[in-house]
Amino acid sequence: MTIAVTGSSGLLGSALVRALRAEGHEVRRLVRREPAEPDERFWDPMRGLVDPACLEGADAVVHLAGAGIGDRRWSEAYKRELVDSRVTGTRTLTGALAALDGGPAALLSASAIGFYGDTGDRPVDESAPAGTGFLAGLAQRWEEATAPAEEAGLRVVRLRTGVVLSGEGGALAKVLPIFKMGAGAALGTGRQYVSWISLPDWVGAVRFLLARDDLSGPVNVTAPEPVTNAEYTAAIARALHRPTMPLTTPRLALRLALGEFAEEAVLAGQRVIPRRLLDAGYGFAHPTVGDALAAVL
């Protein structure tokens, strides 16, 4: 296959590109700077610029571009950047796809389990409605921006991704130095659920979805066994052979340090089940958090 990928320099995109190339697929990377490699193509999502030649002849597009949710404190300006980088970028891409004659047949577009809001200890699958809050609203608008591609007849898959476990980047890599010092601790009550997936399984799930012409719509890209934050914390400590702190990190301290991000992403619980992947027969390489951490650390 020939597959165009946005966001190819990030943790998920770079891992996916390596895997696709290892399988013999041709990858075109859409970049927002002057192309420096033969496989790179320029686009400017915020200005609505994408050369149709980037997409012509491709079999599928995997769209992962967007500012990092946890990269900076959520000022009003950065929240606008989070929205614009996802919604405007997706509209630019899907508008170009809709205008093509005989272009890619499939679009796999990033989304997030933030769509469901705080679900507490209630398990939810893809049939659950959208939740409330900034992240839920962002995910809804992000997914709605794929409509032009869907209306043009493309198979659109919305990748509702959970916390991706990797020692190379993402949320786990940020806390590893703390855990290695033996200072890791559960956050808030520790009872909030974490829906996670190993990086190898995330890549495997996307490859699986690229090959399945019968699957479209929202797909939860998470492992089948969500865990509480306390269980997640203990599993990291065990994987590193380090102790954890006996006390949890207070909610107030998290709010002061992280602001609104703490309430929306750290203290909120999401017990998400990947029902559609399971029903379609995807076999998880790392079905438990212990398996995943052993594989990535």
Side-chain angles (χ1 to χ4, degrees):
M1 297 174 69
T2 297
I3 302 166
V5 180
T6 74
S8 63
S9 62
L11 175 68
L12 303 184
S14 57
L16 178 63
V17 168
R18 287 193 300 269
L20 292 174
R21 285 179 173 159
E23 291 183 332
H25 302 297
E26 177 188 340
V27 178
R28 298 176 187 167
R29 295 183 292 148
L30 274 64
V31 298
R32 293 173 293 167
R33 51 167 171 75
E34 186 69 23
E37 302 292 338
D39 67 335
E40 293 180 345
R41 308 288 190 274
F42 174 76
W43 78 314
D44 188 335
M46 302 311 294
R47 294 173 59 199
L49 300 177
V50 55
D51 184 349
C54 298
L55 306 171
E56 289 172 347
D59 299 290
V61 178
V62 182
H63 175 44
L64 305 174
I69 292 291
D71 287 359
R72 288 163 49 189
R73 191 179 179 89
W74 286 6
S75 64
E76 289 304 312
Y78 193 60
K79 286 167 69 174
R80 287 194 297 273
E81 183 177 341
L82 291 173
V83 173
D84 290 343
S85 68
R86 286 161 174 75
V87 178
T88 303
T90 303
R91 286 174 179 164
T92 293
L93 181 64
T94 57
L97 288 169
L100 284 177
D101 185 13
L107 168 66
L108 275 62
S109 188
S111 183
I113 61 171
F115 177 92
Y116 302 109
D118 187 345
T119 71
D121 61 0
R122 173 175 55 91
V124 296
D125 62 17
E126 292 89 349
S127 65
T132 59
F134 171 73
L135 287 179
L138 171 58
Q140 290 175 70
R141 293 179 62 184
W142 198 2
E143 294 189 5
E144 288 166 359
T146 64
E150 198 166 43
E151 292 163 1
L154 276 76
R155 176 175 69 93
V156 175
V157 180
R158 301 176 182 94
L159 304 170
R160 292 180 181 167
T161 297
V163 176
V164 179
L165 302 187
S166 169
E168 302 171 4
L172 176 60
K174 289 180 180 179
V175 302
L176 283 180
I178 299 172
F179 276 85
K180 288 177 179 178
M181 292 187 294
L187 306 177
T189 66
R191 294 192 296 271
Q192 68 274 28
Y193 272 86
V194 178
S195 290
W196 56 274
I197 188 168
S198 72
L199 179 59
D201 263 327
W202 184 89
V203 171
V206 172
R207 289 164 48 217
F208 179 82
L209 291 165
L210 280 168
R212 288 291 298 261
D213 293 341
D214 57 326
L215 293 176
S216 62
V219 176
N220 293 333
V221 191
T222 60
E225 296 186 17
V227 293
T228 65
N229 181 266
E231 293 168 335
Y232 176 64
T233 299
I236 297 173
R238 283 195 300 273
L240 296 173
H241 306 290
R242 302 297 295 165
T244 58
M245 298 292 285
L247 301 176
T248 64
T249 305
R251 296 177 66 96
L252 179 58
L254 291 167
R255 291 194 193 101
L256 290 173
L258 302 175
E260 188 179 354
F261 176 78
E263 291 291 345
E264 289 263 351
V266 176
L267 297 170
Q270 292 170 323
R271 192 176 182 181
V272 177
I273 308 302
R275 180 64 57 205
R276 299 195 67 201
L277 281 176
L278 291 171
D279 288 349
Y282 177 71
F284 286 87
H286 310 122
T288 71
V289 71
D291 293 336
L293 291 168
V296 304
L297 294 181

